[in-house]
Amino acid sequence: MASGLAGVVGAPLRFTSRFNVARLKCLDHARLYINERDGKNYPSVTTILQHSRRDDTALQNWIDNQIKVLGFQGYRDEMKRHSEDGTRVHSIIEEYLAGIGSDIETPIESGKRFQPDVSGYSNRVKNMWKSLESVVADIDYVAAVETSVFHDTLAYAGTIDCIARYKGQLKIIDWKTSKRRKDSISKLFDYPIQLSAYLGALYSDNRYPPEVKPTSGIVVVMYEDHPADVVDISKAEMEEAWEKWLVRYSDFQYVLDNGHMPSDSS
């Protein structure tokens, strides 16, 4: 991780990391992690991103259209089902990846791996897992699954879905579900920013050895009716996303201090 990713490796010090915990807890849907090393509350990456959006137009238009089609309660119910199914698919993935193991020298061939029993799940969950099968078959070494990371300088935290070797390269991996195709980085909205924030925290967190710290990642988007899309986030794209993360981080601090987003001129 050299030069361009210096911001990820050694977090910039131009931002304060002193968050007002009382204000953090007042935010809608705020998720906080307790860092056992210093006993402090750290806001999650998703909380920071949720409260630092300058332009919600595209997202709000999509929500308005869903409410128009499903009704308000129907939309809420569908979002709840979508979230619950996503959690179930994550559990299946964890079970499968546990069967791969962490022996980097002698990986288990995909045909000989333990296969999760998905018979008790809904058709939606089964189809999303089927969408993903060809992707996970290309993973032959797993360094970490559902692991928490803390950025001690910037005082934020998050949970990385997976760090694994995919098609011969170590990657930080984020699993996503979607109804609409997201087959390019331009369609991923905040996902690359989220991934770069996790990577920055991983590099800051000295509990993890250098050999499990990749320089690039993939966002894997699974569907009910289509094979999963694997969108590569290169080292250069990760650097660019990290710069965007720093802006969102700064905006989040402004929100905590002032109760609203900064104006474009500020």
Side-chain angles (χ1 to χ4, degrees):
M1 300 282 284
S3 60
L5 278 174
V8 176
V9 181
L13 300 179
R14 63 179 184 270
F15 299 103
T16 174
S17 61
R18 294 188 298 274
F19 289 114
N20 184 312
V21 175
R23 290 180 182 176
L24 278 173
K25 292 181 177 179
C26 288
L27 294 175
D28 290 338
H29 309 295
R31 181 180 182 186
L32 303 179
Y33 289 74
I34 297 178
N35 189 338
E36 294 180 356
R37 286 170 290 178
D38 61 16
K40 295 179 180 178
N41 288 272
Y42 285 21
S44 70
V45 170
T46 51
T47 295
I48 293 172
L49 289 175
Q50 179 185 356
H51 292 277
S52 63
R53 294 192 184 105
R54 285 180 179 249
D55 185 3
D56 273 344
T57 304
L59 176 62
Q60 192 58 53
N61 287 343
W62 181 83
I63 292 173
D64 290 345
N65 185 62
Q66 291 296 302
I67 292 175
K68 186 181 297 183
V69 172
L70 302 172
F72 181 72
Q73 189 58 47
Y75 166 74
R76 291 187 63 180
D77 292 343
E78 177 63 19
M79 289 300 99
K80 181 180 179 182
R81 283 193 296 269
H82 186 78
S83 176
E84 290 172 346
D85 286 343
T87 299
R88 293 182 182 111
V89 174
H90 271 70
S91 297
I92 296 170
I93 295 170
E94 286 184 55
E95 190 177 358
Y96 176 86
L97 294 177
I100 295 177
S102 56
D103 188 340
I104 195 168
E105 300 298 334
T106 56
I108 301 173
E109 296 177 18
S110 61
K112 298 179 181 179
R113 296 174 188 169
F114 168 79
Q115 298 297 320
D117 180 8
V118 299
S119 60
Y121 290 98
S122 67
N123 286 334
R124 173 187 278 184
V125 172
K126 291 176 185 176
N127 289 336
M128 285 191 289
W129 169 245
K130 184 175 180 61
S131 163
L132 194 64
E133 285 180 319
S134 63
V135 177
V136 294
D138 284 325
I139 293 175
D140 64 3
Y141 159 71
V142 178
V145 176
E146 289 291 325
T147 188
S148 61
V149 287
F150 293 84
H151 201 302
D152 290 328
T153 305
L154 296 185
Y156 71 84
T159 300
I160 295 174
D161 283 348
C162 183
I163 303 170
R165 187 168 60 191
Y166 171 74
K167 291 188 175 180
Q169 291 187 318
L170 190 68
K171 299 283 186 180
I172 180 173
I173 302 173
D174 209 17
W175 314 109
K176 300 295 185 184
T177 61
S178 180
K179 290 186 175 182
R180 296 181 295 172
R181 288 290 303 278
K182 295 177 180 175
D183 54 359
S184 66
I185 194 170
S186 63
K187 298 178 182 179
L188 293 182
F189 300 106
D190 284 345
Y191 296 164
I193 300 175
Q194 181 181 5
L195 205 58
S196 74
Y198 291 153
L199 186 60
L202 176 66
Y203 269 84
S204 171
D205 198 324
N206 59 19
R207 294 175 301 164
Y208 298 90
E211 57 267 24
V212 302
K213 295 179 177 181
T215 59
S216 60
I218 55 174
V219 176
V220 182
V221 188
M222 59 195 108
Y223 313 96
E224 291 181 61
D225 56 359
H226 194 278
D229 284 311
V230 179
V231 182
D232 186 71
I233 312 296
S234 69
K235 179 180 175 181
E237 289 166 333
M238 199 70 80
E239 294 169 1
E240 182 180 348
W242 174 255
E243 292 301 320
K244 293 178 181 178
W245 164 249
L246 295 181
V247 173
R248 298 288 287 272
Y249 177 92
S250 179
D251 284 349
F252 178 73
Q253 287 187 319
Y254 188 97
V255 169
L256 286 181
D257 291 339
N258 299 279
H260 58 86
M261 283 288 291
S263 64
D264 292 335
S265 58
S266 63

